[in-house]
Amino acid sequence: MQIDLTNPEVVGQHTPDPLRFAFSKKRAAHAGGMSHIVPAQQVQSTLMQAYATPPRLANTPRCLYLHVPFCRVRCTFCNFFQYASSKALIARYVESLCEEIRWKATSIWAQAAPFQAVYIGGGTPTDLSGEQILRIMAEIKRQFPLTPDCEITLEGRVNRFSEDKFEAALEAGINRFSFGVQSFNTQVRKSAKRLDDREHVLAQLSQYVSYNAAPIVIDLLFGLPHQTMEIWQQDLNDYLASGVHGVDLYQLLEMQGIPMASLVEQGKLPMPADTQMKASMYALGVAFMERHYQRRVSVSHWANDNRERSIYNSLAKTTAEIMPLGAGGGGNLNGLQMMQTRNLDQYIQSITERQYPVPMLLRTHPHHGSHACIKAAFDKGVLASVALDKAAGAGTFNAAKPLFEAWQRNGLVTLSASPVAEGGYEYVTLTLAGQFWAVTLSQILIEVLQTNLATAA
Protein backbone atom coordinates (compact mmCIF):
# COMPACT_ATOMS: atom_id res chain seq x y z
CA MET A 1 0.00 0.00 0.00
CA GLN A 2 1.37 3.40 -1.03
CA ILE A 3 1.26 5.91 1.85
CA ASP A 4 3.14 9.20 1.94
CA LEU A 5 4.55 8.89 5.44
CA THR A 6 6.54 12.11 5.01
CA ASN A 7 3.41 14.24 4.58
CA PRO A 8 2.25 15.87 7.85
CA GLU A 9 -1.23 16.26 6.32
CA VAL A 10 -1.38 12.44 6.36
CA VAL A 11 0.54 11.41 9.47
CA GLY A 12 0.16 14.60 11.52
CA GLN A 13 2.85 16.82 12.94
CA HIS A 14 5.45 15.27 15.24
CA THR A 15 4.90 17.52 18.25
CA PRO A 16 4.94 17.19 22.05
CA ASP A 17 1.33 18.47 21.99
CA PRO A 18 -0.61 16.50 19.32
CA LEU A 19 -3.95 17.44 20.87
CA ARG A 20 -3.46 21.06 19.85
CA PHE A 21 -0.95 20.90 17.01
CA ALA A 22 -1.17 17.56 15.14
CA PHE A 23 -3.08 19.27 12.32
CA SER A 24 -3.81 22.89 11.47
CA LYS A 25 -7.60 22.49 11.59
CA LYS A 26 -10.41 19.96 11.44
CA ARG A 27 -11.11 19.03 7.82
CA ALA A 28 -14.90 18.85 7.91
CA ALA A 29 -17.89 18.01 10.10
CA HIS A 30 -18.08 14.47 8.70
CA ALA A 31 -15.79 12.12 6.83
CA GLY A 32 -16.75 10.55 3.50
CA GLY A 33 -15.57 9.01 0.26
CA MET A 34 -16.02 9.83 -3.39
CA SER A 35 -19.25 8.94 -5.22
CA HIS A 36 -20.36 8.91 -8.85
CA ILE A 37 -23.07 11.23 -10.18
CA VAL A 38 -26.11 9.69 -11.86
CA PRO A 39 -26.90 11.58 -15.10
CA ALA A 40 -29.76 14.05 -14.57
CA GLN A 41 -31.99 12.40 -17.15
CA GLN A 42 -31.69 9.08 -15.26
CA VAL A 43 -32.44 10.35 -11.73
CA GLN A 44 -36.19 9.64 -11.71
CA SER A 45 -35.99 6.20 -13.32
CA THR A 46 -33.05 5.19 -11.11
CA LEU A 47 -34.90 6.18 -7.94
CA MET A 48 -38.08 4.54 -9.12
CA GLN A 49 -36.18 1.28 -9.58
CA ALA A 50 -34.46 1.64 -6.18
CA TYR A 51 -37.74 2.11 -4.31
CA ALA A 52 -39.32 -0.77 -6.26
CA THR A 53 -36.56 -3.15 -5.13
CA PRO A 54 -36.09 -4.78 -1.72
CA PRO A 55 -32.90 -3.83 0.18
CA ARG A 56 -29.77 -5.35 -1.37
CA LEU A 57 -28.62 -6.81 1.94
CA ALA A 58 -31.00 -8.51 4.33
CA ASN A 59 -30.95 -7.35 7.95
CA THR A 60 -29.32 -4.01 7.11
CA PRO A 61 -30.43 -1.44 9.73
CA ARG A 62 -32.91 1.13 8.41
CA CYS A 63 -33.92 4.63 9.50
CA LEU A 64 -36.24 7.42 8.44
CA TYR A 65 -35.04 11.02 8.34
CA LEU A 66 -37.62 13.83 8.11
CA HIS A 67 -36.44 17.39 7.55
CA VAL A 68 -38.31 20.46 8.80
CA PRO A 69 -36.62 23.47 7.11
CA PHE A 70 -37.93 26.32 9.29
CA CYS A 71 -36.35 28.46 12.02
CA ARG A 72 -37.52 31.58 13.84
CA VAL A 73 -34.07 33.14 13.43
CA ARG A 74 -30.76 32.14 11.87
CA CYS A 75 -28.08 31.41 14.47
CA THR A 76 -24.75 33.09 13.75
CA PHE A 77 -22.93 29.72 13.55
CA CYS A 78 -25.46 28.06 11.24
CA ASN A 79 -24.83 27.29 7.57
CA PHE A 80 -28.12 25.47 7.00
CA PHE A 81 -30.80 28.14 7.41
CA GLN A 82 -33.56 27.74 4.81
CA TYR A 83 -36.84 29.47 5.69
CA ALA A 84 -38.11 31.71 8.46
CA SER A 85 -40.95 30.12 10.39
CA SER A 86 -44.35 31.11 9.02
CA LYS A 87 -47.62 29.48 10.07
CA ALA A 88 -48.99 29.53 6.53
CA LEU A 89 -45.80 28.21 4.97
CA ILE A 90 -45.39 25.48 7.60
CA ALA A 91 -49.03 24.38 7.13
CA ARG A 92 -48.48 24.12 3.37
CA TYR A 93 -45.28 22.19 3.93
CA VAL A 94 -46.84 19.70 6.35
CA GLU A 95 -49.49 18.86 3.72
CA SER A 96 -46.80 17.94 1.20
CA LEU A 97 -44.70 16.11 3.79
CA CYS A 98 -47.64 13.89 4.77
CA GLU A 99 -48.34 13.27 1.09
CA GLU A 100 -44.71 12.25 0.55
CA ILE A 101 -44.90 9.89 3.54
CA ARG A 102 -47.99 8.17 2.14
CA TRP A 103 -46.49 7.93 -1.35
CA LYS A 104 -43.06 6.57 -0.42
CA ALA A 105 -44.46 4.20 2.19
CA THR A 106 -46.19 2.21 -0.56
CA SER A 107 -42.83 1.25 -2.09
CA ILE A 108 -41.44 -2.28 -1.92
CA TRP A 109 -38.24 -0.96 -0.32
CA ALA A 110 -40.14 0.83 2.46
CA GLN A 111 -42.27 -2.17 3.39
CA ALA A 112 -39.48 -4.77 3.17
CA ALA A 113 -38.40 -4.55 6.83
CA PRO A 114 -39.03 -2.48 9.96
CA PHE A 115 -37.19 0.75 10.76
CA GLN A 116 -35.05 0.98 13.90
CA ALA A 117 -35.02 4.78 14.19
CA VAL A 118 -36.88 7.88 13.05
CA TYR A 119 -35.21 11.27 13.25
CA ILE A 120 -37.13 14.52 12.76
CA GLY A 121 -34.45 17.14 12.20
CA GLY A 122 -34.05 20.63 10.83
CA GLY A 123 -34.20 23.48 10.95
CA THR A 124 -36.30 23.64 14.05
CA PRO A 125 -38.93 20.89 14.16
CA THR A 126 -40.14 22.18 17.51
CA ASP A 127 -41.54 25.19 15.60
CA LEU A 128 -44.28 22.84 14.42
CA SER A 129 -47.53 23.03 16.36
CA GLY A 130 -48.54 20.19 18.64
CA GLU A 131 -51.29 19.26 16.17
CA GLN A 132 -48.80 19.11 13.29
CA ILE A 133 -46.44 16.88 15.26
CA LEU A 134 -49.38 14.58 16.05
CA ARG A 135 -50.42 14.51 12.41
CA ILE A 136 -46.96 13.74 11.02
CA MET A 137 -46.32 11.04 13.60
CA ALA A 138 -49.72 9.46 12.96
CA GLU A 139 -48.81 9.13 9.28
CA ILE A 140 -45.40 7.66 10.08
CA LYS A 141 -46.80 5.06 12.46
CA ARG A 142 -49.70 4.25 10.13
CA GLN A 143 -47.65 3.94 6.94
CA PHE A 144 -44.23 2.54 7.89
CA PRO A 145 -43.24 -0.69 9.67
CA LEU A 146 -41.37 0.28 12.85
CA THR A 147 -39.58 -1.99 15.30
CA PRO A 148 -41.25 -2.26 18.74
CA ASP A 149 -38.33 -0.35 20.30
CA CYS A 150 -37.97 2.17 17.46
CA GLU A 151 -36.19 5.33 18.63
CA ILE A 152 -38.15 8.39 17.47
CA THR A 153 -36.28 11.67 17.97
CA LEU A 154 -37.62 15.20 17.72
CA GLU A 155 -34.91 17.83 17.35
CA GLY A 156 -35.27 21.52 18.15
CA ARG A 157 -34.83 24.16 20.81
CA VAL A 158 -36.56 24.98 24.07
CA ASN A 159 -37.74 28.37 22.76
CA ARG A 160 -41.55 28.30 22.54
CA PHE A 161 -41.59 24.55 23.13
CA SER A 162 -44.23 24.71 25.83
CA GLU A 163 -45.34 21.92 28.13
CA ASP A 164 -48.52 21.56 26.03
CA LYS A 165 -46.48 21.02 22.88
CA PHE A 166 -44.10 18.67 24.72
CA GLU A 167 -47.07 16.62 25.91
CA ALA A 168 -48.49 16.53 22.38
CA ALA A 169 -45.16 15.18 21.12
CA LEU A 170 -45.18 12.48 23.79
CA GLU A 171 -48.74 11.59 22.86
CA ALA A 172 -47.66 11.40 19.21
CA GLY A 173 -45.05 8.77 20.05
CA ILE A 174 -41.85 10.84 20.26
CA ASN A 175 -39.61 8.94 22.66
CA ARG A 176 -36.41 11.02 22.47
CA PHE A 177 -35.84 14.78 22.40
CA SER A 178 -32.67 16.53 21.24
CA PHE A 179 -32.31 20.23 22.04
CA GLY A 180 -29.64 22.50 20.59
CA VAL A 181 -28.59 24.43 23.69
CA GLN A 182 -25.05 25.23 22.40
CA SER A 183 -24.27 27.23 25.55
CA PHE A 184 -26.15 28.06 28.74
CA ASN A 185 -24.35 31.38 29.16
CA THR A 186 -26.72 34.24 28.36
CA GLN A 187 -24.10 36.48 26.73
CA VAL A 188 -22.79 33.66 24.53
CA ARG A 189 -26.33 32.67 23.63
CA LYS A 190 -27.45 36.18 22.70
CA SER A 191 -24.37 36.75 20.55
CA ALA A 192 -25.17 33.51 18.71
CA LYS A 193 -28.82 34.60 18.19
CA ARG A 194 -30.19 32.06 20.65
CA LEU A 195 -33.43 33.44 22.02
CA ASP A 196 -33.62 32.52 25.72
CA ASP A 197 -31.41 33.25 28.71
CA ARG A 198 -29.66 30.67 30.89
CA GLU A 199 -32.30 30.55 33.60
CA HIS A 200 -35.15 29.90 31.16
CA VAL A 201 -33.25 27.13 29.35
CA LEU A 202 -32.38 25.38 32.61
CA ALA A 203 -35.96 25.69 33.86
CA GLN A 204 -37.40 24.27 30.64
CA LEU A 205 -35.00 21.34 30.53
CA SER A 206 -35.72 20.52 34.16
CA GLN A 207 -39.44 20.62 33.39
CA TYR A 208 -39.08 18.17 30.50
CA VAL A 209 -36.92 15.85 32.60
CA SER A 210 -39.49 15.90 35.41
CA TYR A 211 -42.01 14.10 33.17
CA ASN A 212 -39.72 11.05 33.29
CA ALA A 213 -41.27 10.06 29.97
CA ALA A 214 -38.41 10.13 27.41
CA PRO A 215 -34.67 10.78 27.20
CA ILE A 216 -33.77 14.47 26.91
CA VAL A 217 -30.39 15.13 25.27
CA ILE A 218 -28.67 18.40 24.42
CA ASP A 219 -25.94 19.73 22.14
CA LEU A 220 -23.20 21.97 23.52
CA LEU A 221 -20.93 23.85 21.13
CA PHE A 222 -17.44 24.91 22.18
CA GLY A 223 -15.36 27.67 20.62
CA LEU A 224 -18.09 30.33 20.32
CA PRO A 225 -17.37 34.07 20.66
CA HIS A 226 -17.31 35.21 24.32
CA GLN A 227 -17.03 31.55 25.45
CA THR A 228 -14.00 31.46 27.76
CA MET A 229 -12.69 28.33 29.49
CA GLU A 230 -14.51 29.47 32.63
CA ILE A 231 -17.80 29.81 30.76
CA TRP A 232 -17.25 26.41 29.10
CA GLN A 233 -16.68 24.87 32.54
CA GLN A 234 -19.98 26.39 33.70
CA ASP A 235 -21.72 25.02 30.59
CA LEU A 236 -20.55 21.54 31.59
CA ASN A 237 -21.67 22.12 35.19
CA ASP A 238 -25.07 23.27 33.93
CA TYR A 239 -25.43 20.14 31.79
CA LEU A 240 -24.98 17.98 34.86
CA ALA A 241 -27.27 20.16 37.00
CA SER A 242 -30.04 20.11 34.40
CA GLY A 243 -30.56 16.38 34.85
CA VAL A 244 -30.83 15.69 31.10
CA HIS A 245 -29.99 12.21 29.90
CA GLY A 246 -27.17 12.90 27.46
CA VAL A 247 -24.99 15.50 25.76
CA ASP A 248 -23.03 16.00 22.55
CA LEU A 249 -19.94 18.19 22.67
CA TYR A 250 -19.27 19.73 19.25
CA GLN A 251 -16.58 22.17 18.19
CA LEU A 252 -17.34 25.27 16.18
CA LEU A 253 -15.97 24.70 12.68
CA GLU A 254 -14.44 27.29 10.37
CA MET A 255 -16.53 30.44 9.90
CA GLN A 256 -16.64 30.41 6.10
CA GLY A 257 -20.13 31.19 4.83
CA ILE A 258 -21.84 31.73 8.19
CA PRO A 259 -23.21 35.03 9.61
CA MET A 260 -20.64 34.96 12.41
CA ALA A 261 -17.85 35.64 9.89
CA SER A 262 -19.23 39.03 8.80
CA LEU A 263 -20.08 40.00 12.39
CA VAL A 264 -16.49 39.32 13.44
CA GLU A 265 -15.18 41.22 10.41
CA GLN A 266 -17.38 44.20 11.32
CA GLY A 267 -16.12 44.15 14.89
CA LYS A 268 -19.55 43.25 16.29
CA LEU A 269 -18.29 39.96 17.70
CA PRO A 270 -14.90 38.93 19.08
CA MET A 271 -12.97 36.21 17.25
CA PRO A 272 -14.10 32.71 18.20
CA ALA A 273 -11.62 30.26 19.68
CA ASP A 274 -8.75 28.99 17.55
CA THR A 275 -8.02 25.29 17.07
CA GLN A 276 -5.68 25.12 20.05
CA MET A 277 -8.25 26.71 22.36
CA LYS A 278 -10.95 24.35 21.10
CA ALA A 279 -8.64 21.40 21.73
CA SER A 280 -8.22 22.55 25.33
CA MET A 281 -11.99 22.89 25.68
CA TYR A 282 -12.49 19.39 24.32
CA ALA A 283 -9.94 18.00 26.80
CA LEU A 284 -11.75 19.77 29.63
CA GLY A 285 -15.05 18.26 28.48
CA VAL A 286 -13.67 14.72 28.27
CA ALA A 287 -12.09 14.96 31.72
CA PHE A 288 -15.31 16.39 33.16
CA MET A 289 -17.38 13.50 31.81
CA GLU A 290 -14.94 10.95 33.19
CA ARG A 291 -14.92 12.57 36.64
CA HIS A 292 -18.70 12.48 36.77
CA TYR A 293 -19.03 8.90 35.46
CA GLN A 294 -20.93 9.77 32.33
CA ARG A 295 -21.21 6.78 29.99
CA ARG A 296 -19.31 7.43 26.78
CA VAL A 297 -21.29 6.64 23.63
CA SER A 298 -18.82 8.09 21.11
CA VAL A 299 -15.87 10.48 20.93
CA SER A 300 -18.34 13.38 21.23
CA HIS A 301 -21.42 11.97 22.98
CA TRP A 302 -22.08 10.94 26.58
CA ALA A 303 -25.11 9.52 28.39
CA ASN A 304 -26.14 10.21 31.96
CA ASP A 305 -28.07 6.94 32.27
CA ASN A 306 -29.08 3.87 30.28
CA ARG A 307 -32.18 5.46 28.74
CA GLU A 308 -30.13 7.39 26.19
CA ARG A 309 -29.33 5.08 23.25
CA SER A 310 -28.51 7.50 20.40
CA ILE A 311 -29.54 4.86 17.86
CA TYR A 312 -30.02 7.11 14.84
CA ASN A 313 -26.76 9.00 15.30
CA SER A 314 -24.84 5.75 15.69
CA LEU A 315 -26.49 4.02 12.72
CA ALA A 316 -26.02 7.05 10.45
CA LYS A 317 -22.25 6.45 10.56
CA THR A 318 -22.59 2.81 9.46
CA THR A 319 -23.95 1.08 6.35
CA ALA A 320 -27.50 1.64 7.60
CA GLU A 321 -29.95 2.76 4.91
CA ILE A 322 -31.87 5.99 5.46
CA MET A 323 -34.99 7.11 3.63
CA PRO A 324 -35.11 10.92 3.30
CA LEU A 325 -38.37 12.81 3.65
CA GLY A 326 -38.99 16.54 3.33
CA ALA A 327 -37.19 19.47 1.68
CA GLY A 328 -33.50 19.23 2.51
CA GLY A 329 -33.71 15.65 3.76
CA GLY A 330 -30.71 13.44 3.02
CA GLY A 331 -30.34 9.69 2.89
CA ASN A 332 -29.11 6.59 1.11
CA LEU A 333 -30.74 3.37 -0.05
CA ASN A 334 -30.02 0.53 -2.46
CA GLY A 335 -26.63 1.90 -3.40
CA LEU A 336 -27.74 5.50 -3.92
CA GLN A 337 -27.03 8.68 -1.97
CA MET A 338 -29.30 11.70 -2.22
CA MET A 339 -30.16 15.09 -0.82
CA GLN A 340 -33.66 16.33 -1.54
CA THR A 341 -34.09 19.87 -2.86
CA ARG A 342 -34.01 22.66 -0.29
CA ASN A 343 -36.27 24.83 -2.45
CA LEU A 344 -39.74 24.65 -0.93
CA ASP A 345 -41.68 25.42 -4.11
CA GLN A 346 -39.73 22.83 -6.08
CA TYR A 347 -40.24 20.28 -3.31
CA ILE A 348 -44.00 20.81 -3.13
CA GLN A 349 -44.37 20.71 -6.91
CA SER A 350 -42.35 17.48 -7.13
CA ILE A 351 -44.45 15.73 -4.50
CA THR A 352 -47.66 16.90 -6.18
CA GLU A 353 -46.43 15.44 -9.49
CA ARG A 354 -45.12 12.24 -7.84
CA GLN A 355 -41.57 13.10 -8.82
CA TYR A 356 -38.65 12.45 -6.49
CA PRO A 357 -37.47 15.91 -5.28
CA VAL A 358 -33.80 15.02 -5.82
CA PRO A 359 -31.74 17.48 -7.92
CA MET A 360 -28.57 15.37 -7.79
CA LEU A 361 -28.26 11.62 -7.23
CA LEU A 362 -25.03 9.77 -6.43
CA ARG A 363 -24.12 6.12 -6.68
CA THR A 364 -22.55 4.94 -3.46
CA HIS A 365 -18.84 4.27 -3.77
CA PRO A 366 -18.10 0.55 -4.34
CA HIS A 367 -16.14 0.57 -1.07
CA HIS A 368 -18.84 2.36 0.91
CA GLY A 369 -18.80 -0.52 3.41
CA SER A 370 -15.17 0.04 4.33
CA HIS A 371 -15.70 3.81 4.55
CA ALA A 372 -18.63 3.27 6.91
CA CYS A 373 -16.58 0.83 8.98
CA ILE A 374 -13.84 3.44 9.41
CA LYS A 375 -16.23 6.26 10.30
CA ALA A 376 -18.14 4.18 12.83
CA ALA A 377 -14.96 2.82 14.41
CA PHE A 378 -13.28 6.19 14.79
CA ASP A 379 -16.51 7.64 16.15
CA LYS A 380 -16.37 4.96 18.85
CA GLY A 381 -12.64 5.53 19.37
CA VAL A 382 -11.23 2.16 18.30
CA LEU A 383 -10.67 0.33 14.98
CA ALA A 384 -10.35 -3.47 15.05
CA SER A 385 -8.33 -5.40 12.48
CA VAL A 386 -11.06 -7.98 12.09
CA ALA A 387 -13.64 -5.30 11.30
CA LEU A 388 -11.49 -3.45 8.75
CA ASP A 389 -10.39 -6.67 7.02
CA LYS A 390 -13.99 -7.86 6.81
CA ALA A 391 -15.15 -4.56 5.32
CA ALA A 392 -12.19 -3.73 3.05
CA GLY A 393 -10.63 -7.12 2.32
CA ALA A 394 -8.25 -9.48 4.07
CA GLY A 395 -4.87 -7.92 4.78
CA THR A 396 -6.07 -4.31 4.66
CA PHE A 397 -5.29 -3.64 8.31
CA ASN A 398 -1.77 -4.99 7.96
CA ALA A 399 -1.21 -3.02 4.77
CA ALA A 400 -2.30 0.19 6.51
CA LYS A 401 -0.20 -0.50 9.60
CA PRO A 402 2.66 1.84 8.57
CA LEU A 403 0.12 4.69 8.74
CA PHE A 404 -1.13 3.53 12.13
CA GLU A 405 2.45 3.29 13.39
CA ALA A 406 3.17 6.83 12.18
CA TRP A 407 0.04 8.04 13.97
CA GLN A 408 1.23 6.24 17.11
CA ARG A 409 4.63 7.94 16.94
CA ASN A 410 2.83 11.26 16.65
CA GLY A 411 0.63 10.63 19.69
CA LEU A 412 -2.68 10.14 17.91
CA VAL A 413 -3.31 6.41 18.48
CA THR A 414 -2.02 3.40 20.35
CA LEU A 415 -1.64 -0.06 18.78
CA SER A 416 -2.41 -3.21 20.68
CA ALA A 417 -3.16 -6.89 20.06
CA SER A 418 -4.95 -9.69 21.85
CA PRO A 419 -3.07 -12.96 22.61
CA VAL A 420 -2.86 -15.49 19.78
CA ALA A 421 -5.03 -17.83 21.86
CA GLU A 422 -7.75 -15.18 21.73
CA GLY A 423 -7.51 -14.63 18.00
CA GLY A 424 -4.56 -12.27 17.79
CA TYR A 425 -6.81 -9.35 16.88
CA GLU A 426 -5.15 -5.97 16.53
CA TYR A 427 -6.60 -2.62 17.53
CA VAL A 428 -6.00 1.05 16.80
CA THR A 429 -7.24 3.04 19.79
CA LEU A 430 -7.50 6.81 19.58
CA THR A 431 -5.68 8.80 22.24
CA LEU A 432 -7.27 11.97 23.59
CA ALA A 433 -5.58 13.82 20.73
CA GLY A 434 -6.84 11.21 18.26
CA GLN A 435 -10.36 11.60 19.60
CA PHE A 436 -10.24 15.35 19.00
CA TRP A 437 -8.97 14.72 15.45
CA ALA A 438 -11.17 11.64 14.87
CA VAL A 439 -12.95 12.97 11.77
CA THR A 440 -9.65 14.08 10.24
CA LEU A 441 -8.06 10.68 10.87
CA SER A 442 -11.00 8.76 9.44
CA GLN A 443 -10.98 11.00 6.34
CA ILE A 444 -7.26 10.38 5.85
CA LEU A 445 -7.63 6.59 6.13
CA ILE A 446 -10.60 6.61 3.73
CA GLU A 447 -8.59 8.62 1.19
CA VAL A 448 -5.54 6.36 1.55
CA LEU A 449 -7.59 3.23 0.93
CA GLN A 450 -9.53 4.87 -1.88
CA THR A 451 -6.35 6.01 -3.64
CA ASN A 452 -4.70 2.60 -3.37
CA LEU A 453 -7.76 0.74 -4.54
CA ALA A 454 -8.10 3.10 -7.52
CA THR A 455 -4.41 2.58 -8.39
CA ALA A 456 -4.80 -1.19 -8.13
CA ALA A 457 -7.81 -1.09 -10.43
Side-chain angles (χ1 to χ4, degrees):
M1 184 175 289
Q2 298 297 313
I3 307 171
D4 185 0
L5 298 177
T6 65
N7 186 353
E9 294 297 316
V10 173
V11 300
Q13 296 283 352
H14 186 67
T15 167
D17 192 356
L19 171 67
R20 295 167 182 82
F21 297 104
F23 300 96
S24 59
K25 63 181 180 180
K26 185 176 180 179
R27 285 200 180 190
H30 307 286
M34 293 174 59
S35 301
H36 303 288
I37 298 175
V38 175
Q41 65 272 22
Q42 297 177 17
V43 167
Q44 293 300 315
S45 60
T46 302
L47 282 169
M48 188 178 300
Q49 179 62 33
Y51 277 103
T53 306
R56 291 181 176 184
L57 298 175
N59 301 318
T60 299
R62 293 145 58 83
C63 307
L64 294 173
Y65 177 82
L66 288 80
H67 196 71
V68 179
F70 303 98
C71 294
R72 284 193 60 212
V73 296
R74 182 179 183 180
C75 298
T76 62
F77 54 81
C78 178
N79 204 23
F80 301 102
F81 181 84
Q82 290 172 254
Y83 294 95
S85 295
S86 151
K87 288 185 178 180
L89 201 56
I90 292 175
R92 185 173 166 227
Y93 180 72
V94 169
E95 290 292 333
S96 291
L97 180 59
C98 289
E99 188 175 344
E100 184 187 11
I101 290 170
R102 291 190 293 270
W103 168 39
K104 285 187 174 177
T106 62
S107 68
I108 291 172
W109 184 89
Q111 295 298 324
F115 293 85
Q116 282 84 15
V118 177
Y119 196 97
I120 305 174
T124 312
T126 49
D127 278 358
L128 297 170
S129 68
E131 292 75 15
Q132 288 166 336
I133 295 171
L134 282 161
R135 182 180 175 190
I136 291 169
M137 280 304 305
E139 290 289 1
I140 291 171
K141 292 192 291 185
R142 183 183 303 118
Q143 304 295 338
F144 291 108
L146 307 178
T147 59
D149 65 342
C150 182
E151 177 190 88
I152 304 174
T153 301
L154 182 70
E155 184 183 76
R157 61 174 107 195
V158 301
N159 180 259
R160 295 191 178 181
F161 195 59
S162 64
E163 283 74 22
D164 287 346
K165 194 182 291 190
F166 181 72
E167 291 172 4
L170 290 173
E171 181 185 345
I174 302 296
N175 57 27
R176 183 176 182 269
F177 295 84
S178 178
F179 294 105
V181 171
Q182 317 313 347
S183 175
F184 288 96
N185 182 271
T186 299
Q187 181 187 24
V188 174
R189 290 180 57 79
K190 297 297 184 183
S191 70
K193 299 294 185 184
R194 306 302 283 182
L195 298 172
D196 297 306
D197 61 21
R198 172 177 178 268
E199 288 69 25
H200 178 76
V201 174
L202 282 169
Q204 284 296 104
L205 291 174
S206 296
Q207 183 67 24
Y208 305 146
V209 169
S210 71
Y211 280 77
N212 198 27
I216 310 297
V217 300
I218 64 172
D219 293 342
L220 290 178
L221 194 60
F222 56 89
L224 291 164
H226 298 298
Q227 192 181 35
T228 63
M229 288 293 284
E230 291 74 22
I231 288 174
W232 177 236
Q233 176 69 70
Q234 188 58 51
D235 282 336
L236 297 170
N237 293 344
D238 286 344
Y239 151 69
L240 206 61
S242 72
V244 299
H245 304 89
V247 63
D248 275 292
L249 305 184
Y250 294 125
Q251 65 168 298
L252 177 71
L253 294 180
E254 297 303 307
M255 293 194 296
Q256 187 175 0
I258 61 176
M260 185 183 294
S262 60
L263 292 171
V264 170
E265 188 176 337
Q266 296 165 22
K268 295 179 179 179
L269 281 179
M271 280 291 292
D274 59 17
T275 295
Q276 291 71 43
M277 178 68 166
K278 288 185 286 189
S280 297
M281 298 173 96
Y282 178 75
L284 179 63
V286 171
F288 178 91
M289 297 301 163
E290 290 177 352
R291 280 198 304 274
H292 293 281
Y293 300 96
Q294 303 298 286
R295 176 172 56 87
R296 196 162 196 176
V297 180
S298 75
V299 295
S300 60
H301 186 65
W302 287 262
N304 199 16
D305 64 13
N306 290 328
R307 298 182 72 178
E308 162 57 349
R309 299 179 295 166
S310 194
I311 293 176
Y312 176 85
N313 291 325
S314 296
L315 289 179
K317 298 178 179 71
T318 70
T319 55
E321 295 191 305
I322 301 173
M323 177 193 281
L325 296 160
N332 65 282
L333 57 95
N334 270 339
L336 300 170
Q337 292 177 301
M338 67 214 73
M339 177 71 74
Q340 304 203 146
T341 180
R342 293 178 177 274
N343 184 289
L344 204 56
D345 290 331
Q346 291 176 6
Y347 166 76
I348 292 172
Q349 181 178 349
S350 294
I351 298 305
T352 301
E353 296 174 356
R354 286 293 190 269
Q355 295 285 303
Y356 296 100
V358 177
M360 186 169 71
L361 184 65
L362 304 173
R363 291 196 184 278
T364 303
H365 192 277
H367 301 287
H368 170 67
S370 62
H371 300 167
C373 167
I374 292 166
K375 289 190 291 184
F378 280 39
D379 186 58
K380 292 291 187 183
V382 60
L383 174 65
S385 60
V386 64
L388 184 60
D389 286 352
K390 181 179 179 181
T396 301
F397 187 94
N398 194 56
K401 193 177 290 185
L403 176 60
F404 302 149
E405 291 170 343
W407 283 346
Q408 180 171 247
R409 287 193 297 272
N410 290 338
L412 296 164
V413 306
T414 57
L415 298 175
S416 61
S418 65
V420 174
E422 296 176 6
Y425 301 126
E426 295 182 87
Y427 298 92
V428 176
T429 304
L430 303 185
T431 63
L432 175 64
Q435 293 162 18
F436 179 70
W437 297 107
V439 173
T440 298
L441 296 181
S442 60
Q443 185 65 50
I444 291 168
L445 183 54
I446 286 171
E447 291 174 1
V448 165
L449 295 186
Q450 199 163 257
T451 300
N452 279 273
L453 289 167
T455 302

